[in-house]
Amino acid sequence: MPKALTIQRSTVPTTERGNYTKRLKALQSHYAAANCRFWVFEETSLPGAFIEFTEADDEQTLTTAHANAPQDA
């Protein structure tokens, strides 16, 4: 079965880590409600470097979820 996946890399300064974590929680809720899966990994060798993966069962679901994602999250 085909899937759709996007990947985004973010570098977060230590001073912004709390805001980033708050944003991730909002995005997790949004993507779960949109039938998407959302994972975030921090690179162990480079603290503050994160990779975000968002996956859906089809491209349209993922595209719609991204378009409706909270911008201030």
Side-chain angles (χ1 to χ4, degrees):
M1 173 175 3
K3 303 278 185 186
L5 177 73
T6 58
I7 301 169
Q8 178 176 318
R9 184 182 178 106
S10 299
T11 303
V12 180
T14 304
T15 57
E16 291 298 315
R17 192 177 188 102
N19 290 333
Y20 180 70
T21 302
K22 183 178 175 182
R23 176 183 163 274
L24 291 178
K25 288 178 184 178
L27 288 173
Q28 174 66 40
S29 295
H30 165 75
Y31 287 119
N35 289 327
C36 296
R37 290 154 302 280
F38 182 69
W39 301 279
V40 179
F41 298 91
E42 184 174 15
E43 293 186 30
T44 57
S45 63
L46 188 58
F50 294 89
I51 300 175
E52 302 172 19
F53 297 89
T54 311
E55 179 193 33
D57 291 337
D58 59 81
E59 186 176 349
Q60 185 59 49
T61 299
L62 186 58
T63 299
T64 301
H66 282 319
N68 294 324
Q71 298 303 312
D72 60 339

